[in-house]
Amino acid sequence: MRKEFRESIDRALHNTNLSEALGRFSEAYRSSRARAYEGIDFKALRTRIAEVKSSAASHLDSLSELFARNAEARGAKVFRTDSPEKVKEYILALARQKHVKRVVKSKSMASEEIHLNPYLEENGILVRETDLGEWIIQLAGQTPSHMVMPAIHMTREEVSELFSKEVNEQLSSDIPKLVKVARREIRGKFLEADMGISGANIAVAETGSIVLVTNEGNARLVTTLPKTHVAIIGIEKLVARIEDIIPILTALPKSATGQLLTSYVSIITGQTPNTDGSMKDLHIILMDNRRTEMANDPKFKQALQCIRCASCLNVCPVYRLVGGHVFGKIYTGGIGTILTAWFEGLKKSEEIQGLCIQCGNCKEVCPGKIDIPELILEIRRRLVTNEGQSLAQKALFSLVNNRRFFHAMLRTASLTQKPLAKEGFIRHLPMFLSDLTEFRSLPTIADVPFRDRFKEIKQPKLKEKAAFYVGCLIDFAYPETGEAIVRILNKAGIECVFPDEQTCCGALARYNGAYEVAAQNAIDNINALKKEDAQYIVSACPTCTVALKNEFINTFESLRKDSWIDKARVLSSRAMDFSTLITKLVDEGRLTFREGQQLGKITYHDSCHLKRTLNVHEEPRELLKKAGYELTEMFECDMCCGMGGSYSLKLPEISAPILQRKLKNIKDTAASVVAMDCPGCVMQIRGGLDKQISDIRATHTAELLAKQFK
Amino acid sequence: MFEQFKTRAEAVSAEVHHFPTKTGALEFILQLLHTEGIADAMQSYAVWADCRFLTGIDRKKLAEKVPGLRFDVTREVASESRIGITQMDWAIANTGTLAQDSVQVEQRLASSLPSIHLALVGTDKLLADLPSFLNKMSPRESGSIAMITGPSRTADIERVLTIGVHGPERLIIVFVDELEERDG
């Protein structure tokens, strides 16, 4: 990570206007989106959108041709090109031919993508953005920091200053007054412009129609008042049929701004009359710019299902801290990272892709059903394949893969830090490591790892067996969680076995793009676990469970290691997370809770992988309630805690404020215990609470349940 | 469906009225033109785009009665108008949306330039949702389809919802029961 990038993160984090604006918005967005989708089957809707867009992405060339034919039959001129340069040249040539002096534009990300405005301005043509947000950033000389709300990073005072300069008059920072000024100023520009440039939200091949969606009404004026209209459209906006616009128009306003429908939707098909009775000179530019290449990439084709609603930004815990000028280029946030990697080149996405914490919020809300976190990992993988791993990372991976050596090393390290360790925490680390303990204490390394403690646990000999997949944190830092699980399973009549050859689940390597290392981890674990004749493979770490259930398969698929895929599938079918297995055993009557327990107030933190990848959230809550805890939900209970595995080590400055929000939400419940199912979250949240000298206990669900069964 | 439409449209700051007869609607419109101070002066005109509602109405008389009310919807007049009146073809209940074939430029000018847009629509033109609307109106026949849901709005400064940016700041919707029968 370059120093400049790190500094830009730092500046954004210290910009309280920015973080407050984005924070408030993201909190409000969640509920307004939910209200807009009331009574709508979101899953079915997004499946429909994914089908429509995916099918279109498979036929970009034929749909472009059909669109062009139909639009031309209605009097439009259609220009198809793969080159951003040619788009600009076409528009300039047209402007010169028509003696165009002034252009008004409605919002078009495609025009931002090709940097059209500066090009036209350099060639002597005045370009005026008319979308209020776009106009603000045009006056400020900036790029949009959000795809739907380009100027979300600016305050009313900053806007007032920009407008005052523009109209040569000292304006107040009253928002309705500022909007009136914009109306007055831009109205004149609309009336005198000789060309209107727009984008399009959808292009319909079978009719040659373009669909434009706005709230301000500027697109209606841009397409009505000037005699020439140019629409710049990325070919991913194509759909085959007119009815295909229904699911998109249903989802787009709800996901973008929590509206049932935007104020204006215009469907324009061919030429329409101008105000002087002549017919509109309509030019539609279908721009490829690597979209066909994306469509041909089996991994990235799904990114063309994006409808540009920006909901992936609105729910992102990192975006709401740093905004789009740090997290993105022209396109911002999660999808922006992916589009940047394609439209500007893989290398250009190198820094911003590292900002993704892999919490999965975006995947859950994406109306195009795009697996954004997975595609960002794929970018990481390709970067590593192209650029190689750093030596430090290589060393780290070889270290974690040798479990005993890794523990011995950590243990030695923790012993040398002995004066720093107190009550099970390391509260300060010296020098360059100090960032890591500034916002949360780290756990001390267990004297004896779980794998060795396990041998000392006295278990009854039982017929039914469960193999325990421990994962690094329970093994080295929280062996007591492992002991709790053995105790509970024994009560259910299940004996735990510990396959000694098990190693790192590969998440560390995978999330850093080192898929070859992750694949070797997967192979070692498959070999270790298949030796045991156990009915279940249970893990108390959701990240490990996701690796066992999904990611081994996925890693092999990515690397085309076909011979291992079936073996990974067999393993996957046996793997279970702790709460799911215990729920099953309770339901089967094999575990019975002690009666009449009143264990006090508790709140529950949903871990990212458990909630969003494994879809487990009710199970631990039900178990805790049945045990006798009184559950109080915290605000944003399923928002990431900021741990993200090695993320909190690489970007502690971002991890820390995410954690602070989480801690505040926990405290606001007034519960004395916060439960969670992930040892990574335990490390983050327990460490954070310790730093704040809080009495609230952060504990793995397993430990809370251990003594509550008959 | 009317009640659903009304709820949804009012939720996005549109004003919804309902009259059984054309006469009632016309009275309401004249009252509005009066209250809004429509006059034969710049920025004070009202434009009324050609529509079926006007069938059987003597426009000349009406214009004499209300100085400043114009039926010649040019860009110059429309941009100097306070009120624009158009008749919409359909109303979509579940989003509170009005829809119109707006190929005629007068329709677009009258509904987008003035600060108040008064939209007339037949009560029998209510449809349930977007799919039913697209069954009624197709881009194959209509080169320009306009769908309007509430007045012009923005939240581009600090996410504060502000009504009336480039389009009308008031959308007044007038449902008329026997609007189409009279035409027939």
Side-chain angles (χ1 to χ4, degrees), chain A residues 25 74 130-131 133 149 155-156 180 183 187 191 206 215-216 220 225 260 263-265 267 269 273 275, chain B residues 8 75 103 108 111 113 139-140 143 145 147-149 151-154 156 158-159 165-169:
Chain A
F25 169 60
R74 302 283 288 262
T130 63
D131 173 85
M149 295 160 296
T155 61
R156 65 187 80 189
K180 282 260 181 301
R183 179 185 172 102
R187 179 56 68 87
L191 290 165
E206 70 168 356
N215 272 316
E216 299 181 1
R220 296 193 80 204
L225 296 173
L260 294 184
S263 299
Y264 303 103
V265 178
I267 306 175
T269 313
T275 53
Chain B
R8 292 286 155 89
R75 67 193 272 151
V103 162
R108 283 175 272 145
S111 60
L113 287 171
R140 286 196 171 84
I145 296 174
M147 296 166 70
I148 298 176
T149 313
S152 158
R153 63 188 57 229
T154 186
D156 273 351
E158 289 191 7
R159 297 296 304 139
V165 204
H166 302 303
E169 58 189 26

